[in-house]
């Protein structure tokens, strides 16, 4: 992925994708199953991109009304059967499915945020500094983030995100792949790791920042998280280690 993302990220590293996360809930977890509804989510973040809350809203054709449920958001992460039925999609794909299911035009993101009524707070803590940060010469800050996901990715869908390690099909292989990106002032490296085969995985991102604003960091975290979602696992939290 490194050569692919370099080209695209250098062109628009600060241009984040759509703000909300979209999922289709399928009737079963098998390929080709019809969609039953649409789920929309958004994480609340601190200024340094740690998660402190989650909002979840959904609509099903059977009910024909929007609802907001923190319990459903938790179930998407805790219930493997429900997670297998959740398909991450782009907003245009969600719009098409919503229209095909008889919902009409999918509300805009401002309207969708107004549907978030059952907020799920997430534990917040300052960065867990496992060791003193080692900031290379020429950079003003080094940060390490972990994005935790429930489930395991479909490896072919990660081809644009990482360069695969050897033996990735072996569940004992912890580091699935790695990637890197250099902007004019910053250097980013990341690893995708298994945390218990089939149970969880994570994306660990190390950012060496040469700009005081760190303006490339948030969009890159967002892009990588979106790529992971579209590979199958569901994001749980973002922690900062340094």
């Amino acid at each position: 992925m490194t050569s692919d993302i370099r080209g695209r990220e250098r062109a628009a590293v600060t241009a984040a994708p759509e703000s909300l996360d979209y999922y289709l809930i399928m009737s079963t977890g098998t390929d080709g199953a019809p969609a039953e509804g649409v789920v929309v989510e958004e994480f609340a973040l601190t200024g340094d991109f740690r998660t402190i809350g989650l909002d979840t809203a959904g609509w099903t054709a059977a009910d024909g009304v929007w609802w907001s449920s923190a319990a459903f958001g938790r179930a998407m992460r805790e219930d493997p059967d429900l997670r297998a039925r959740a398909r991450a999609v782009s907003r245009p794909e969600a719009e098409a499915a919503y229209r095909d299911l008889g919902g009409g035009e999918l509300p805009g993101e401002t309207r969708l945020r107004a549907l978030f009524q059952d907020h799920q707070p997430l534990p917040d803590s300052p960065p867990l500094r496992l060791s003193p940060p080692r900031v290379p010469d020429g950079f003003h800050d080094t940060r390490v983030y972990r994005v935790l996901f429930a489930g395991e990715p479909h490896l072919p869908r990660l081809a644009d995100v990482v360069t695969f390690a050897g033996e990735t099909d072996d569940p004992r292989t912890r580091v699935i792949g790695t990637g890197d990106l250099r902007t004019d002032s910053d250097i980013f490296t990341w690893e995708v790791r298994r945390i218990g085969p089939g149970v969880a995985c994570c994306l660990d991102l190390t950012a060496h920042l040469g700009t005081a604003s760190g303006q490339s960091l948030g969009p890159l975290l967002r892009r990588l998280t979106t790529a992971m979602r579209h590979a199958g696992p569901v994001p749980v939290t973002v922690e900062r280690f340094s």
Side-chain angles (χ1 to χ4, degrees), residues 122-211:
L122 297 176
D124 181 32
S125 60
L128 177 61
R129 299 188 183 278
L130 302 178
S131 62
R134 296 186 295 272
V135 182
D137 292 342
F139 299 92
H140 78 90
D141 191 14
T142 291
R143 300 185 188 181
V144 178
Y145 289 87
R146 168 163 289 181
V147 188
L148 179 65
F149 298 85
E152 186 164 327
H154 299 283
L155 297 183
R157 300 180 193 173
L158 286 180
D160 288 341
V161 177
V162 298
T163 299
F164 289 116
E167 305 297 332
T168 55
D169 291 329
D170 186 339
R172 295 170 297 180
T173 299
R174 295 305 184 195
V175 177
I176 297 172
T178 61
D180 67 88
L181 170 68
R182 179 188 292 268
T183 68
D184 291 339
S185 304
D186 310 317
I187 294 178
F188 304 98
T189 59
W190 56 89
E191 296 180 337
V192 176
R193 295 175 173 268
R194 287 188 175 98
I195 307 175
V199 177
C201 62
C202 67
L203 185 144
D204 291 344
L205 172 68
T206 299
H208 300 302
L209 302 177
T211 55

Side-chain angles (χ1 to χ4, degrees), residues 8-82:
R8 288 185 284 114
E9 293 292 338
R10 280 175 178 163
V13 71
T14 59
E18 56 233 356
S19 299
L20 301 180
D21 293 341
Y22 296 87
Y23 297 87
L24 298 183
I25 302 300
M26 320 306 290
S27 58
T28 69
T30 58
D31 291 340
E36 293 184 340
V38 177
V39 170
V40 182
E41 293 194 323
E42 184 174 44
F43 281 99
L45 303 175
T46 64
D48 63 348
F49 312 113
R50 306 188 320 273
T51 51
I52 55 174
L54 174 65
D55 288 291
T56 304
W59 179 93
T60 57
D63 298 329
V65 295
W66 283 91
W67 42 263
S68 179
S69 173
F72 191 89
R74 291 193 300 271
M76 281 181 58
R77 290 148 178 87
E78 297 172 358
D79 183 345
D81 293 333
L82 177 57

Side-chain angles (χ1 to χ4, degrees), residues 18 20-26 35-41 57 59 66 87-107 109 112 229-230:
E18 56 233 356
L20 301 180
D21 293 341
Y22 296 87
Y23 297 87
L24 298 183
I25 302 300
M26 320 306 290
E36 293 184 340
V38 177
V39 170
V40 182
E41 293 194 323
W59 179 93
W66 283 91
R87 298 282 189 275
V89 294
S90 65
R91 180 176 170 90
E93 290 172 311
E95 289 173 333
Y98 186 71
R99 191 163 45 247
D100 291 344
L101 289 170
E105 293 301 315
L106 184 68
E109 295 199 333
L112 289 173
R229 286 196 311 109
H230 282 261

